[in-house]
Amino acid sequence: MSIKEQLTADMKEAMKSHDKDRLSVIRFVRGAIRQAEIDGGHKELSDEDVIGVISKEVKMRKDSIEEFKKGGREDLVAKTQAEIDVLMPYLPAQLSEDEIRALVKEAVEKTGASTSKDMGKVMGMLMPKVKGRADGKLVNTIFRSMLQG
């Protein structure tokens, strides 16, 4: 079953169980997927592309949580975290920080990166491996700390 089919099945289940919050998030992400298909010339998205859309939605919500915390809006933090919790099962298993560190180290060694100017080469090699499985901001932070340390 594709991720889109799973989203449709879960949407129907949320309708039947009257889970309005979950239904709302699933509908929103299905809309984002549909918009990506329209933007791409009405072509059907692959599971990998769908994971990219869902990852983008999760990242936007994580960024929002940071802003809500700065503004002292704990109610919105909890609501947004609940939305992330609905979306995470549709993404591949997330890499641990140690796994990311090992991948960054391998990429740094392969590219011979020695300064932050080499970040493009390293990220170009890393991102296809971690797409949907790790936050790019975390990968970036680990890369920078590895060059300093």
Side-chain angles (χ1 to χ4, degrees):
M1 179 182 286
S2 74
I3 296 174
K4 282 177 58 176
E5 291 167 344
Q6 184 64 49
L7 281 164
T8 301
D10 291 348
M11 182 182 76
K12 290 175 184 175
E13 183 183 313
M15 285 174 159
K16 288 177 184 173
S17 65
H18 302 288
D19 187 346
K20 291 179 184 175
D21 295 333
R22 184 158 197 239
L23 178 61
S24 171
V25 173
I26 292 173
R27 278 185 172 157
F28 187 84
V29 81
R30 287 184 73 231
I33 292 166
R34 183 72 185 120
Q35 187 61 49
E37 289 175 341
I38 291 169
D39 293 345
H42 293 282
K43 74 172 185 75
E44 188 80 15
L45 293 183
S46 67
D47 271 357
E48 187 176 307
D49 294 331
V50 171
I51 287 171
V53 172
I54 295 172
S55 294
K56 183 178 174 187
E57 293 297 323
V58 169
K59 182 186 181 321
M60 286 180 358
R61 284 166 173 77
K62 285 181 178 179
D63 292 345
S64 295
I65 284 177
E66 289 177 24
E67 295 302 316
F68 294 149
K69 283 181 180 177
K70 287 179 189 174
R73 296 293 309 267
E74 292 305 316
D75 57 326
L76 293 176
V77 169
K79 180 181 181 292
T80 307
Q81 184 59 51
E83 291 176 0
I84 291 171
D85 294 342
V86 169
L87 295 174
M88 290 307 286
Y90 300 104
L91 295 176
Q94 298 295 294
L95 295 170
S96 71
E97 194 168 324
D98 291 336
E99 292 169 318
I100 295 170
R101 208 171 284 286
L103 287 170
V104 169
K105 184 177 181 184
E106 178 186 328
V108 167
E109 289 170 359
K110 281 186 180 176
T111 60
S114 57
T115 68
S116 59
K117 291 179 183 175
D118 299 324
M119 179 180 275
K121 288 189 269 182
V122 173
M123 295 304 259
M125 176 182 274
L126 267 178
M127 291 318 282
K129 293 180 182 178
V130 302
K131 185 176 182 179
R133 299 172 51 208
D135 181 19
K137 196 182 291 185
L138 177 61
V139 174
N140 186 330
T141 303
I142 291 172
F143 170 74
R144 290 184 185 279
S145 70
M146 204 168 272
L147 287 183
Q148 292 173 355

